[in-house]
Amino acid sequence: MISVSGYWLRPEDIEKLNVSQTQRDIANRMLAMPSRYRYGSISELLFELRFRVHTVESARELINSGAKFATFSKTYGNEEFWRVTPEGALELKYRAPASKAIRNIFESGSLYAFECATAIVIIFYMALLKTIGDQTFDRNYQRIILYDWHYERLPIYTDKGNDYLPGDCLYFKNPEFDPERPQWRGENAILLENNLYAAHGLGILSGETIIEKLNGLRKPHAQTSAYLLSQVTRVDIPALIQMIR
């Protein structure tokens, strides 16, 4: 369900939107969901649709960039733009343009390694950069620290439920993970389309294949399978729009 300024949209309203077919498909999925998506204006809804398409694009691009999976202690990045902190965070260097630094991860992925939650935040930053452009992004994000779920002025939230949309971050939990490899206690992944996910460190895979791979990373004699958690992590677009100057 989609509400714009208190008006609940109908299928015929979606057909009138001046958007791509991919964006229209996402809007129709939102319309069919029991969840309520509320916007103050049509422009906020259109921003959300663009952001979601850019999230899917950016997730695919990061998987294909050559950036590697690494634990925090083994994180590294291009020192032209980023400083690696003792905790394993990538901190934007003083006066380095944020837009160039984020783009560099996708353009020179072989110079980077980080874990999967960090990858999701990077994808969201890149999606926002594509949506608002370099100048606005640089003005709003002069300080960035890439570390786990750490983010600046990016209203990310998690809700329970199964109302999954392209561009959402979902979590595959591995309850009996190998304690010698705790990084595989689960996997964050961006939903690209029906049952196809971008999972940093694993690739672009179906949900069943992600579960199969995680099951291969369990402790000896494990009996409980990995599974897709009934929750969704996404960016609050109306709140984000209010933050951007």
Side-chain angles (χ1 to χ4, degrees):
M1 302 172 68
I2 303 174
S3 170
V4 177
S5 298
Y7 171 76
W8 294 101
L9 299 190
R10 300 165 297 176
E12 52 266 37
D13 298 317
I14 302 300
E15 291 305 311
K16 295 176 183 177
L17 295 177
N18 184 23
V19 296
S20 69
Q21 186 58 51
T22 301
Q23 292 172 330
R24 185 171 287 109
D25 290 343
I26 294 173
N28 279 318
R29 288 183 63 163
M30 296 169 71
L31 201 65
M33 293 289 188
S35 294
R36 298 181 177 186
Y37 302 92
R38 300 178 185 272
Y39 304 93
S41 65
I42 285 291
S43 64
E44 286 187 1
L45 170 60
L46 297 180
F47 190 107
E48 170 110 29
L49 297 177
R50 292 195 301 273
F51 182 84
R52 286 187 173 277
V53 169
H54 289 150
T55 300
V56 169
E57 292 174 353
S58 300
R60 289 183 179 275
E61 290 166 1
L62 187 65
I63 295 296
N64 295 322
S65 70
K68 297 177 179 60
F69 178 90
T71 57
F72 293 115
S73 63
K74 296 183 179 179
T75 295
Y76 58 84
N78 186 348
E79 295 182 1
E80 180 181 353
F81 297 103
W82 304 95
R83 181 181 76 88
V84 180
T85 71
E87 297 78 19
L90 292 172
E91 183 177 19
L92 183 66
K93 284 192 169 181
Y94 179 61
R95 290 191 175 179
S99 59
K100 289 185 178 179
I102 291 294
R103 288 187 190 280
N104 187 256
I105 299 172
F106 293 79
E107 295 168 353
S108 304
S110 61
L111 301 179
Y112 293 86
F114 39 77
E115 55 76 63
C116 67
T118 303
I120 299 299
V121 176
I122 290 170
I123 290 166
F124 284 154
Y125 274 130
M126 187 61 174
L128 179 59
L129 172 56
K130 290 182 177 185
T131 304
I132 65 177
D134 291 23
Q135 187 174 14
T136 303
F137 189 84
D138 288 340
R139 186 168 64 248
N140 282 274
Y141 296 93
Q142 297 177 22
R143 183 174 187 266
I144 292 178
I145 296 175
L146 302 173
Y147 180 73
D148 198 22
W149 283 109
H150 186 283
Y151 41 85
E152 287 79 23
R153 304 180 73 246
L154 195 61
I156 297 173
Y157 70 98
T158 299
D159 266 347
K160 293 183 178 179
N162 301 310
D163 289 354
Y164 305 144
L165 296 167
D168 283 340
C169 172
L170 307 182
Y171 187 69
F172 291 83
K173 188 172 183 177
N174 192 13
E176 293 196 83
F177 63 91
D178 184 346
E180 294 186 2
R181 291 184 286 183
Q183 64 269 31
W184 296 113
R185 67 180 64 241
E187 178 72 16
N188 293 287
I190 295 291
L191 176 62
L192 304 178
E193 53 190 71
N194 289 335
N195 199 34
L196 192 65
Y197 303 84
H200 181 61
L202 296 179
I204 296 177
L205 307 166
S206 68
E208 292 81 5
T209 304
I210 292 175
I211 289 171
E212 180 182 333
K213 287 184 176 293
L214 289 176
N215 282 344
L217 295 163
R218 291 179 294 174
K219 63 185 180 182
H221 312 298
Q223 299 296 316
T224 304
S225 173
Y227 63 94
L228 178 60
L229 206 59
S230 294
Q231 71 173 39
V232 57
T233 299
R234 53 176 59 132
V235 176
D236 183 338
I237 294 301
L240 175 63
I241 291 172
Q242 293 300 314
M243 292 180 181
I244 297 172
R245 296 178 289 109

